[in-house]
């Protein structure tokens, strides 16, 4: 297995550096200097800013610098937007809040949607199944933004008005960023993160339930299910032991493919609820043309993506004895 | 996008759902995008794609749903009330008792953006950086808080600068101004500011390479020998802040002289702009690139460590060593209706803390305001009908019943469509090209745009000088203007230009920002011009690409907005001054020797009827030559809670936090 992993990693190295190259080239298609200078720019200002941003250096040097940061894992390049702050500082500041939404959301969504899909598959064709499918399709058909707008209005504003106290915050309180870990877990997360997480779960449930239901339906018609039923195994045992175990391959694929996106956060949730996460930061960096942030984020994202793919292979081998990594 | 308003108008819900799908797919809130890439306000990087909410309009060409009074300062006299200055003992005693009881005076206010990126005045370019930096650093002069039209007064000076010849100005600093306490000073105690600090802070504006100054344009061609100093120091291996500048002379620790290259009226206004604020050299040298995170100035508030959560909010705490300053007695008669005169003589700052929260989208801001968590709000366009009557522009009764007050604030905006005067078809000084531009101006219906995209509440006016400034035409209308809609005249002019019914007219390339509703507005422009036979090819660009295109003189016809740096029409007339051609602020590349000569004349003229006459003459030349089509200005609408006192909403200057009070 190790030789397989090393070989796969080696194959991916040129792919990875090509991604960096393409991203850097794509960013430079549009010159960021004019937008950053705004009005009153003189040719001298344009030249000076280009030099300050390092854009006057040959592209090879710029690329080499980015590769160095990735290889040494330093990310010490200065952000173009934040005075004196390195890319590493900005990324570290933002990844935590994003994970505080995405990890609970992923776990909850996966658990709930797998459970619902098992029930749905078991009662395939009956009213319960049809109702669950209907709700899932309905959930998928409504925009994420509508959930956020509704959620914020009813889940925070209206509910708080009704209760006479702030159960869920409409918007993130800046001072909450200074909370200790204990305060974060006991006070900050329930007040500022739980509502966005619930919205995220509701949105993702529709997509995941439909997908997992299809997987479970396919599994439920296998011979081993008939055998288990004939042997008198209980419904619960058949569903959660036999069927679930055999459906793990597509489940793993879907869950692991989501892992890289955990660090991207959800820019819509973050913008509406004021969560200081990566999605919002990345959007700001793209809007303002903060190349170092965009490039470094892409580098981290691409690395996690490649590693996630490898992890998927390893997990396949672990859950399915028929799979051998060689 | 705001849900609160949808429930007030249920019929909108379906539309919202449909729109929401589209917006989500596009990846975000478009207004916020615009705010990020644009900037407005005094001293800000004020070139922007159009955005809009709020406003009022004067509309000569059709029955108006958006008429509102333009500022009428003549009927609103200045009043100077008697005041008793609050003693330092009483001021301190009040603070100590609030501190002891845990009842600090604290305001919570919104900022519709991601907030500032830097609080270093020479790095600041947006109105948000202006607003935040202005609380911690101070300029030599400031705007009078309640006086309209705007005037300046000393802030760090004992009196206004004195000059006998209008070239050499003598400045005297106050004797009781200290920098914030900070670890950069011996013993952590802020020291008294000196003349050398002022000169050092201004020299930083010239340090393009080392300090990454973005604001040299403010000092360019202003002070004798300063441009040469800037060139030589930036060319040298290291920037020498101690090297002399011919136009700067330090008399002693409190007095210094500045000699200008030429007489300049705008120089004093520039001394009100936060970019010229005084900072401590020790702090700049100690914190280096991170000085923008740890600003050490003389302002009424300080930012303590951990109180600025970037992208989220910033908390300003009272500067205990703030110099002696009082709430002004000079006010407008109309201010008395809002009790703005009652605090005269109160020691500043009145508040102990100001928590600014950054909102990237409008819905949470509006909901938090309605949930009583904010002391005031700018009314988002979507919520305008919820707060104000669209017909009367007055605050609705439900809001009044909660003790709220509504204020329209006129912005110094010049929103226009520009022609590249170097373009082969639209540009040039030939009669044919002029007729063509006049025809386009006549065919563009600004009122229709105003109705369709701004609730009909922006100000439509002739010329380039926005409402409220000397030079603004009476009622916003000038008989010299070719502003539409006048299709008959447009068609006639098209024929005179050699394109009867548009025959032979090549397609025009129109460049505008993709932010906001740029596409929809462009569609309307295309439709309007198609009525005189002109086809328009629309190019929607990112703001940076739009600027680049215009700076490179390759945009044939484009859309921009300009917010005045200071309240003088000269600032807008400079946009057409020949030597300012692109990439300078004359994006039109308009060149007219007579106009340039007049501009050079007004630069040094004090406000006077003679100067107003020249302004009018210059505007007439522009309206005849039509290097632009326009114009429009926005008005922001503010709703202020009953507990917030002394607040006179304004967007032209930003150091007003020190005057406001909150009574819980």
């Amino acid at each position: 297995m190790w030789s397989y992993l090393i070989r796969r990693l080696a194959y991916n190295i040129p792919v990875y550096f090509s991604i960096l190259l393409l991203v850097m080239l794509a960013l430079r298609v549009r010159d960021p200097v004019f937008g950053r200078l705004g009005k009153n720019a003189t040719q001298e200002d344009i030249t000076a800013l280009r030099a300050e941003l390092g854009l006057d250096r040959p592209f090879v040097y710029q690329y080499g610098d980015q590769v160095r940061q990735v290889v040494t894992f330093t990310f010490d390049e200065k952000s173009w937007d934040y005075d004196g702050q390195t890319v590493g500082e900005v990324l570290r500041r933002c990844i935590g809040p994003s994970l505080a939404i995405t990890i609970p959301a992923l776990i909850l969504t996966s658990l709930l949607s797998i459970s619902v899909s098992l029930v749905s598959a078991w009662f395939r064709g009956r009213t319960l199944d049809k109702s669950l499918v209907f709700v899932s399709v309905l959930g998928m058909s409504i925009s994420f933004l509508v959930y956020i707008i509704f959620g914020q209005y009813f889940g925070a504003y209206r509910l708080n008005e009704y209760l006479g106290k702030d159960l869920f915050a409409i918007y993130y309180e800046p001072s909450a960023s200074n909370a200790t870990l204990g305060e974060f877990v006991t006070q900050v997360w329930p007040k500022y993160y739980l509502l966005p997480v619930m919205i995220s779960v509701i949105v993702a449930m529709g997509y995941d339930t439909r997908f997992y239901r299809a997987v479970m339906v396919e599994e439920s018609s296998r011979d081993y299910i008939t055998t288990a039923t004939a042997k008198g195994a209980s419904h619960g045992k058949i569903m959660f032991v036999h069927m679930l175990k055999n459906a793990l391959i597509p489940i793993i694929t879907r869950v692991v493919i989501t892992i890289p996106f955990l660090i991207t956060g959800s820019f819509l949730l973050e913008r509406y609820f004021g969560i200081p996460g990566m999605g919002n930061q990345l959007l700001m960096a793209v809007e303002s043309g903060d190349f170092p942030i965009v490039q470094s984020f892409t580098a981290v994202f691409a690395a996690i993506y490649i590693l996630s793919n490898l992890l998927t292979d390893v997990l396949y081998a672990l859950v399915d004895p028929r799979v051998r990594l060689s | 996008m705001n849900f609160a308003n949808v429930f007030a108008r249920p019929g909108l819900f379906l539309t919202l759902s449909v729109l929401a799908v589209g917006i989500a797919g596009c990846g975000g809130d478009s207004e916020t995008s615009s705010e990020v890439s644009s900037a407005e306000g005094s001293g800000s990087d004020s070139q922007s794609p159009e955005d809009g909410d709020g406003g009022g309009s004067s509309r000569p060409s059709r029955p108006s749903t958006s008429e509102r009074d333009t500022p009428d300062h003549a009927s609103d006299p200045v009043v100077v009330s008697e005041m008793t200055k609050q003693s330092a003992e009483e001021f301190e005693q009040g603070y100590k008792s609030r501190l002891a009881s845990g009842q600090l005076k604290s305001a919570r206010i919104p900022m519709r953006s991601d907030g500032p990126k830097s609080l270093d005045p020479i790095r600041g370019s947006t109105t948000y950086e202006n607003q935040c930096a202005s609380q911690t650093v101070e300029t030599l002069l400031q705007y009078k808080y309640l006086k309209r039209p705007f005037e300046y007064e000393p802030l760090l000076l004992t009196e206004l600068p004195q000059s006998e010849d209008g070239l050499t100005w003598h400045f005297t600093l106050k004797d009781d101004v200290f920098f914030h306490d900070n670890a950069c000073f011996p013993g952590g105690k802020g020291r008294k500011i000196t003349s050398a600090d002022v000169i050092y802070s201004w020299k930083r504006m010239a340090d393009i390479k080392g300090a990454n100054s973005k604001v040299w344009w403010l000092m360019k061609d202003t002070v004798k020998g300063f441009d040469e100093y800037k060139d030589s120091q930036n060319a040298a291996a290291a920037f020498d802040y101690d090297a002399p500048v011919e136009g700067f002379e330090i008399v002693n620790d409190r007095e210094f002289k500045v000699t200008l290259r030429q007489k300049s009226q705008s120089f004093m206004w520039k001394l009100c702009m936060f970019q010229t604020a005084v900072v401590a050299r020790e702090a700049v040298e100690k914190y280096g690139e991170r000085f923008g995170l740890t600003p050490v100035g003389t302002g009424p508030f300080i930012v303590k460590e951990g109180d600025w959560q970037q992208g989220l909010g910033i908390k300003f705490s009272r500067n205990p060593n703030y110099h002696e300053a009082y709430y002004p007695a000079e006010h407008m008669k109309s201010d008395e209706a809002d009790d703005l005169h009652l605090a005269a003589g109160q020691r500043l700052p009145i508040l102990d803390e100001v928590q600014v929260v950054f909102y990237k989208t409008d819905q949470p801001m509006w909901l938090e305001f309605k949930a009583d968590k904010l002391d005031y709000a700018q009314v988002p366009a979507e919520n305008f009908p919820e707060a104000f009557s669209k017909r009367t522009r007055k605050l609705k009764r439900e809001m009044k019943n909660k003790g709220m007050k509504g204020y329209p604030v006129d912005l110094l905006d010049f929103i226009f469509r520009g022609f590249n005067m170097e373009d082969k078809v639209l540009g040039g000084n030939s009669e044919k090209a002029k007729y063509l531009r006049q025809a386009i101006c006549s065919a563009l219906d600004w009122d229709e745009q105003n109705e369709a995209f701004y609730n009909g509440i922006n100000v439509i006016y002739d010329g380039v000088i926005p409402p409220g400034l000397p030079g603004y035409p009476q009622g916003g209308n000038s008989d010299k203007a070719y502003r539409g809609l006048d299709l008959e005249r447009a068609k006639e002019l098209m024929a005179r230009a050699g394109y009867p019914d548009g025959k032979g007219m090549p397609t025009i390339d129109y460049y505008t920002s993709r932010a906001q509703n740029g596409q929809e507005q462009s569609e309307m422009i295309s439709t309007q011009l198609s009525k005189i036979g002109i086809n328009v090819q629309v190019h929607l660009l990112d703001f940076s690409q739009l600027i680049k295109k215009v700076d490179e003189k390759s945009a044939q016809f484009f859309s921009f907005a300009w917010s005045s740096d200071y309240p003088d029409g000269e600032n807008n007339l400079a946009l057409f001054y020949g030597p300012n051609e692109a990439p300078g602020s004359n994006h039109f590349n308009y060149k007219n020797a007579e106009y340039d000569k007049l501009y050079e004349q007004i630069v040094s003229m004090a406000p006077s009827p003679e100067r107003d006459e020249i302004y009018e003459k210059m505007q007439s030349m522009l309206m005849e030559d039509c290097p632009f089509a326009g114009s429009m200005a926005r008005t922001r609408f503010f709703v202020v809670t009953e507990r917030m006192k002394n607040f006179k909403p304004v967007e032209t200057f930003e150091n007003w936090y020190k005057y406001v009070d909150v009574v819980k």
Side-chain angles (χ1 to χ4, degrees):
Chain A
M1 185 171 82
W2 286 108
S3 65
Y4 169 82
L5 290 177
I6 291 166
R7 202 166 59 244
R8 279 286 304 273
L9 271 175
Y11 289 157
N12 276 308
I13 287 171
V15 174
Y16 182 68
F17 288 115
S18 301
I19 292 169
L20 294 187
L21 182 70
L22 284 173
V23 168
M24 289 184 70
L25 285 172
L27 283 173
R28 282 156 181 76
V29 168
R30 290 177 176 173
D31 190 341
V33 170
F34 290 86
R36 301 183 80 81
L37 281 171
K39 69 173 186 179
N40 300 308
T42 62
Q43 194 53 50
E44 185 190 5
D45 295 333
I46 292 166
T47 309
L49 183 62
R50 189 160 281 131
E52 181 199 328
L53 301 180
L55 292 170
D56 59 337
R57 294 180 303 159
F59 179 76
V60 177
Y61 287 91
Q62 297 176 44
Y63 180 67
D65 200 32
Q66 183 65 37
V67 170
R68 176 193 62 75
Q69 290 185 67
V70 169
V71 171
T72 58
F73 216 69
T74 49
F75 298 109
D76 54 0
E77 192 175 357
K78 292 281 183 337
S79 158
W80 290 357
D81 279 344
Y82 296 101
D83 273 7
Q85 294 183 56
T86 64
V87 170
E89 277 178 273
V90 177
L91 296 185
R92 276 194 296 276
R93 189 172 68 216
C94 299
I95 282 180
S98 280
L99 294 179
I101 297 180
T102 52
I103 289 179
L106 175 67
I107 293 169
L108 282 171
T109 307
S110 300
L111 288 176
L112 287 172
S113 53
I114 289 169
S115 304
V116 171
S117 63
L118 280 167
V119 173
S120 189
W122 191 258
F123 294 99
R124 182 165 43 133
R126 305 226 209 129
T127 310
L128 181 62
D129 176 38
K130 286 176 181 169
S131 304
L132 288 171
V133 171
F134 177 77
V135 171
S136 299
V137 173
L138 189 70
M140 289 165 59
S141 308
I142 299 173
S143 162
F144 192 8
L145 193 58
V146 173
Y147 283 107
I148 293 173
I149 292 168
F150 268 77
Q152 192 168 51
Y153 186 80
F154 286 114
Y157 174 65
R158 280 290 190 200
L159 183 66
N160 294 345
E161 198 175 50
Y162 176 73
L163 295 174
K165 63 172 186 175
D166 288 357
L167 186 63
F168 298 126
I170 296 170
Y171 201 71
Y172 201 81
E173 183 62 40
S175 59
S177 290
N178 298 336
T180 60
L181 183 62
E183 289 167 343
F184 181 82
V185 173
T186 57
Q187 297 164 33
V188 173
W189 195 85
K191 187 170 180 182
Y192 300 102
Y193 287 83
L194 184 52
L195 181 60
V197 166
M198 287 196 293
I199 292 171
S200 185
V201 169
I202 291 168
V203 172
M205 277 278 291
Y207 293 92
D208 284 7
T209 302
R210 275 203 72 212
F211 174 80
Y212 292 134
R213 180 190 170 277
V215 173
M216 300 305 175
V217 163
E218 193 180 335
E219 287 301 320
S220 66
S221 58
R222 304 262 189 215
D223 289 346
Y224 70 86
I225 297 291
T226 313
T227 308
T229 310
K231 280 187 163 182
S234 66
H235 287 177
K237 192 172 181 185
I238 292 172
M239 279 200 295
F240 290 101
V241 177
H242 298 291
M243 226 162 87
L244 186 58
K245 192 176 176 187
N246 283 286
L248 273 179
I249 291 267
I251 291 174
I252 286 170
T253 309
R254 192 167 178 91
V255 171
V256 176
I257 207 87
T258 314
I259 288 174
F261 296 95
L262 294 178
I263 64 161
T264 64
S266 165
F267 78 86
L268 275 176
L269 277 173
E270 289 172 9
R271 282 184 95 81
Y272 269 80
F273 286 94
I275 309 283
M278 200 58 235
N280 185 45
Q281 182 59 58
L282 188 60
L283 188 69
M284 286 196 292
V286 170
E287 280 173 345
S288 66
D290 191 345
F291 287 7
I293 298 272
V294 180
Q295 287 167 185
S296 298
F297 181 83
T298 312
V300 173
F301 183 83
I304 296 176
Y305 200 92
I306 288 170
L307 291 174
S308 299
N309 279 341
L310 277 178
L311 180 67
T312 311
D313 290 349
V314 173
L315 290 174
Y316 280 175
L318 289 178
V319 301
D320 190 341
R322 293 169 298 181
V323 177
R324 289 280 179 273
L325 298 182
S326 60
Chain B
M1 184 70 64
N2 192 308
F3 191 51
N5 192 41
V6 176
F7 275 82
R9 302 171 66 188
L12 281 178
F13 174 64
L14 186 62
T15 314
L16 168 71
S17 302
V18 174
L19 279 175
V21 176
I23 292 172
C26 291
D29 179 79
S30 57
E31 180 154 355
T32 307
S33 304
S34 167
E35 292 283 12
V36 169
S37 60
S38 71
E40 314 107 45
S42 169
S44 67
D45 183 358
S46 50
Q47 180 178 261
S48 62
E50 298 158 37
D51 67 348
D53 49 340
S57 162
S58 67
R59 305 179 49 189
S61 57
R62 64 170 73 167
S64 174
T65 56
S66 59
E67 282 176 0
R68 61 179 298 277
D69 297 330
T70 49
D72 182 7
H73 301 299
S75 63
D76 190 11
V78 178
V79 182
V80 181
S81 54
E82 281 189 25
M83 73 171 190
T84 309
K85 289 181 178 175
Q86 186 183 23
S87 70
E89 293 74 30
E90 188 191 343
F91 181 62
E92 281 308 313
Q93 194 54 46
Y95 173 67
K96 280 176 186 165
S97 63
R98 291 194 299 276
L99 193 63
S101 63
Q103 300 285 316
L104 289 179
K105 279 178 180 281
S106 182
R108 196 167 188 272
I109 63 175
M111 182 175 281
R112 294 164 72 189
S113 84
D114 294 318
K117 299 290 192 295
S118 170
L119 297 185
D120 185 344
I122 64 154
R123 301 278 291 160
S125 60
T126 68
T127 193
Y128 315 114
E129 281 151 5
N130 181 355
Q131 192 172 134
C132 290
S134 295
Q135 315 313 323
T136 58
V137 295
E138 289 187 311
T139 45
L140 298 186
L141 303 178
Q142 67 176 347
Y143 286 76
K144 290 182 177 177
Y145 180 46
L146 301 173
K147 175 77 178 58
R148 303 293 182 274
F150 297 108
E151 282 180 17
Y152 50 75
E153 63 181 1
L155 176 55
L156 292 180
L157 302 175
T158 54
E159 57 180 354
L160 286 175
Q162 303 294 313
S163 175
E164 287 177 2
D165 58 3
L167 282 173
T168 300
W169 293 85
H170 184 266
F171 296 78
T172 307
L173 293 169
K174 283 182 182 169
D175 198 26
D176 65 339
V177 183
F178 289 80
F179 285 116
H180 300 154
D181 290 345
N182 190 278
C184 66
F185 299 114
K189 290 295 291 178
R191 63 166 173 79
K192 196 180 278 188
I193 65 161
T194 64
S195 304
D197 291 316
V198 179
I199 304 302
Y200 169 75
S201 301
W202 290 354
K203 283 180 174 174
R204 290 187 75 229
M205 298 170 75
D207 190 355
I208 311 288
K209 281 165 67 181
N212 299 328
S213 166
K214 287 180 177 178
V215 297
W216 168 249
W217 59 273
L218 267 171
M219 284 291 181
K220 189 171 181 281
D221 296 330
T222 304
V223 177
K224 204 169 181 182
F226 204 11
D227 293 66
E228 293 77 3
Y229 169 84
K230 175 235 169 196
D231 290 340
S232 62
Q233 293 303 323
N234 281 292
F239 199 97
D240 181 5
Y241 281 99
D242 298 318
V245 173
E246 191 183 350
F248 294 144
E249 183 194 341
I250 294 177
V251 178
N252 56 43
D253 273 357
R254 287 183 55 212
E255 294 172 62
F256 62 96
K257 290 179 181 173
V258 175
T259 305
L260 304 180
R261 278 175 181 267
Q262 58 183 350
K263 290 179 187 175
S264 168
Q265 270 301 306
S266 64
F267 184 61
M268 293 301 149
W269 287 116
K270 288 176 181 173
L271 297 187
C272 300
M273 294 168 72
F274 82 105
Q275 292 95 331
T276 64
V278 182
V279 297
R281 184 168 186 167
E282 294 92 327
V284 174
E285 289 176 353
K286 179 178 171 66
Y287 297 113
E289 285 181 324
R290 297 179 82 92
F291 175 71
L293 299 171
T294 325
V296 180
T298 62
F301 295 99
I302 52 178
V303 180
K304 294 178 184 168
E305 197 174 343
D307 278 352
W308 180 11
Q309 293 82 20
Q310 290 198 324
L312 288 176
I314 186 166
K315 189 168 93 177
F316 296 100
S317 303
R318 173 182 182 271
N319 171 13
N321 303 323
Y322 191 55
H323 55 90
E324 192 178 347
Y326 299 93
Y327 190 93
E330 188 179 4
H331 60 274
M332 311 306 291
K333 185 72 183 163
S334 62
D335 293 334
E336 293 179 2
D338 294 327
D339 294 338
L340 293 174
H341 62 304
L342 298 181
Q346 218 166 319
R347 188 83 187 249
L348 304 176
I350 298 172
L351 289 171
D352 301 317
E353 293 174 345
V354 182
Q355 173 68 64
V356 184
V357 185
F358 309 143
Y359 294 92
K360 292 112 195 165
T361 50
D362 284 333
Q363 160 153 311
M365 181 199 71
W366 189 244
L367 291 180
E368 288 227 299
F369 175 73
K370 287 181 26 159
D372 221 20
K373 294 183 185 306
L374 293 170
D375 291 306
Y376 81 84
Q378 275 181 13
V379 183
E382 291 91 343
N383 301 102
F384 184 79
E386 193 182 342
F388 286 87
S389 159
K390 199 181 164 195
R391 189 174 57 83
T392 64
R393 312 282 179 269
K394 304 286 185 200
L395 197 66
K396 284 195 166 172
R397 189 178 300 146
E398 308 88 81
M399 304 293 269
K400 279 185 185 167
N401 290 344
K402 292 177 187 168
M404 292 186 188
K405 288 180 177 166
Y407 297 89
V409 176
D410 293 309
L411 303 191
L412 302 181
D413 272 347
F414 170 42
I415 298 170
F416 59 87
R417 318 281 173 235
F419 300 103
N420 178 7
M421 294 293 283
E422 293 188 6
D423 182 71
K424 283 177 186 166
V425 178
L426 296 177
N429 295 322
S430 69
E431 288 294 299
K432 191 178 159 181
K434 192 167 79 177
Y435 291 143
L436 177 57
R437 292 193 298 271
Q438 289 171 349
I440 292 172
C441 289
S442 302
L444 290 176
D445 188 350
W446 284 88
D447 296 311
E448 189 183 12
Q449 294 251 342
N450 192 16
E451 280 297 326
F453 301 108
Y454 303 100
N455 279 324
I457 51 179
N458 281 358
V459 182
I460 307 297
Y461 64 94
D462 291 327
V464 302
I465 298 178
L469 298 187
Y472 179 70
Q474 183 78 30
N477 300 312
S478 167
D479 54 8
K480 308 272 190 341
Y482 283 88
R483 174 163 63 85
L485 177 69
D486 189 337
L487 277 179
E488 287 308 309
R489 183 178 65 199
K491 284 176 181 172
E492 187 192 323
L493 286 164
M494 282 295 282
R496 289 165 72 182
Y499 306 109
D501 296 324
K503 282 176 193 158
M505 176 72 199
T507 298
I508 292 179
D509 287 303
Y510 173 62
Y511 296 85
T512 189
S513 168
R514 73 169 80 249
Q516 279 283 81
N517 44 26
Q519 181 163 0
E520 292 83 352
Q521 293 214 32
S522 303
E523 292 295 333
M524 184 172 278
I525 288 170
S526 297
T527 308
Q528 289 174 356
L529 293 183
S530 70
K531 290 175 185 166
I532 56 170
I534 294 179
N535 292 320
V536 175
Q537 173 70 47
V538 176
H539 303 268
L540 295 167
L541 303 174
D542 292 336
F543 185 54
S544 61
Q545 296 309 109
L546 178 63
I547 290 190
K548 185 181 181 201
K549 200 83 189 163
V550 173
D551 281 354
E552 290 174 346
K553 301 183 179 178
S554 54
Q556 190 179 24
F557 185 40
F558 56 92
S559 176
F560 257 8
W562 181 274
S563 291
S564 302
D565 297 311
Y566 43 85
D568 188 336
E570 174 268 319
N571 188 239
N572 284 45
L573 293 169
L575 302 179
F576 299 89
Y577 179 54
N580 288 346
E581 68 179 304
S585 57
N586 178 0
H587 299 300
F588 316 87
N589 306 306
Y590 178 70
K591 284 169 199 143
N592 180 330
E594 194 188 346
Y595 181 92
D596 290 352
K597 207 172 162 187
L598 289 172
Y599 177 76
E600 284 155 14
Q601 202 178 327
I602 60 164
V603 164
S604 58
M605 284 179 78
S608 62
E610 292 76 37
R611 195 185 69 160
D612 291 348
E613 211 170 283
I614 300 177
Y615 278 15
E616 194 181 334
K617 193 174 176 187
M618 292 172 77
Q619 288 215 87
S620 298
M621 293 164 80
L622 294 174
M623 286 188 271
E624 174 64 20
D625 289 343
C626 288
F628 74 101
S631 305
M632 180 161 72
R634 296 162 300 167
T635 298
R636 278 235 221 266
F637 282 80
F638 286 75
V639 193
V640 182
T641 59
E642 191 175 21
R643 61 180 175 273
M644 194 165 199
K645 307 293 181 191
N646 312 339
F647 183 37
K648 184 168 183 172
V650 62
E651 292 212 359
T652 305
F653 60 93
E654 304 286 1
N655 68 339
W656 49 264
Y657 290 12
K658 62 185 174 186
Y659 300 109
V660 296
D661 193 3
V662 168
V663 181
K664 299 284 185 189

